[in-house]
Amino acid sequence: IEAGIDVLLLVYAPACQRFCWQVMDAAWGQAMDERLASILELVGDEDIAVAAARALGVEQVLEPGRVTYGEIDKPHADARTIGIVRLAGKASVGDGAVRPWSTVLKVVDLAVDSFNNSATNPQNEERVYERGLFAGAGLKFRPASCFHISQPTESVRVLWLEDLTNAKGAPFELGELAQILRHLGEWNAAMVRDPPHLGFSVASDFPRRRWEQWNFPARVADLQRLDAEPMVRDLYSRQPLSLASQFVAVLGQLVEHSRSLPHALSFGDAPIGNFFCLPDETVAIDWSGLGIEPLGADGGCIVGSALTWGTRFADVAVNERELFKSYAEGFAEAGADIGPPTLRSGYLAHLAFYLGTIAIFPTMVAGPRALFSRDFFEKRLGMRLEEFGGVASVI
């Protein structure tokens, strides 16, 4: 195999050489998705050189060096995200010095149609990075650094982002989750005190849009027809199945009420997979969900997402009020004059969405309204789906 690769490296052009190394790296682990691999073939020398220089904080590199690719396998709810890939090399920067560098490529295809398209706007994420928004503000919650944005085809964007593979990612311990919430609360308060001029439009009332998209009342009806399924029996082993319809009715009222609450610019769609913990700092990726939201809503989105991520998700429910307290403390420490009851209302509007998804979860994996794949859910939960109902019943 090595001899064959050596021959390929001698024969093909530099761009193909890089891709041969990518294929070789993937061969030792799981083969890279064919479509993602075909897009990476289009990554040019210029793009690599620009990203290497910016990752190293220098004006230019003499030679970015041979690069290697490694796919980062994580569940993506948005089908427009084709893949996440770490690219690394050793660049010549002058005076004979060679320095290691790396970046993480987020590959997005705007042409893909999926269930979640209305939730976020990937082009707004580009705009945040292009304009340097929210960076250098002195806050503990910040965007990942973006070194470069390339467009290998008309609909595909490649975001060359800060390498956070050594930072702590989801699922988080409770203390880490509390830190993220405190930092986000501080950031949200800054948006209330000094609303930024974005220069582009964003959506609003994400809890309401989610309520309309997910059609919870119809899912409750589906759930009744699945009452003999083992997952349904396990999930409702502590409560009557009628609780699902009662909860969904209250959820609809709460979401409607949230539209009358104070609003401000918010991170919006805030699943915990978008966050990374560094010492005394939280770094966020995927700013495509920016919106004008009820104050507190994105804190509720984080906690709600944590209720559906990792094997210990039920622990989040037990500690939910303490987690909210961390968010409210961050908000108060940043000087915004908004009382905890108001924050709690906006927070619950989005937390309740995730509680609703747990209440009707069997309809997300079976029946006419099933969503995503078994593999997606099992990667996100870190367990077999057959185990979910018993663990979630305590929530």
Side-chain angles (χ1 to χ4, degrees), residues 5-73:
I5 288 173
D6 286 342
V7 171
L8 291 172
L9 292 176
L10 287 171
V11 171
Y12 287 100
C16 291
Q17 291 178 21
R18 288 196 307 275
F19 190 66
C20 289
W21 279 106
Q22 176 265 309
V23 172
M24 182 184 74
D25 290 345
W28 305 138
Q30 187 176 8
M32 185 175 288
D33 174 82
E34 196 172 308
R35 182 161 180 237
L36 176 60
S38 69
I39 292 171
L40 292 177
E41 282 189 90
L42 304 176
V43 170
D45 293 334
E46 246 180 65
D47 293 318
I48 292 175
V50 167
R54 291 178 181 168
L56 290 170
V58 299
E59 190 173 331
Q60 64 177 14
V61 296
L62 301 180
E63 168 57 49
R66 191 201 82 202
V67 295
T68 58
Y69 298 73
E71 186 172 8
I72 298 173
D73 186 22

Side-chain angles (χ1 to χ4, degrees), residues 252-277:
Q253 295 171 32
L254 177 60
V255 166
E256 189 60 33
H257 170 67
S258 72
R259 299 173 73 186
S260 67
L261 296 171
H263 284 50
L265 185 68
S266 161
F267 193 80
D269 186 24
I272 59 170
N274 287 344
F275 303 105
F276 294 88
C277 275

Side-chain angles (χ1 to χ4, degrees), residues 96-177:
V98 175
R99 293 171 58 189
W101 65 278
S102 60
T103 180
V104 169
L105 311 184
K106 178 180 179 179
V107 183
V108 178
D109 189 344
L110 301 175
V112 174
D113 187 25
S114 77
F115 173 79
N116 273 325
N117 275 16
S118 63
T120 59
N121 184 344
Q123 290 169 305
N124 282 352
E125 181 179 20
E126 282 185 67
R127 292 166 181 142
V128 167
Y129 291 133
E130 285 172 342
R131 302 173 190 203
L133 296 174
F134 316 116
L139 299 172
K140 294 176 181 177
F141 183 84
R142 67 168 177 86
S145 300
C146 182
F147 305 135
H148 184 46
I149 299 175
S150 56
Q151 185 176 342
T153 72
E154 184 177 350
S155 66
V156 172
R157 305 291 188 275
V158 180
L159 307 180
W160 302 64
L161 302 175
E162 173 181 356
D163 184 359
L164 294 163
T165 52
N166 289 325
K168 180 64 170 67
F172 296 102
E173 299 296 328
L174 290 170
E176 295 164 339
L177 201 53

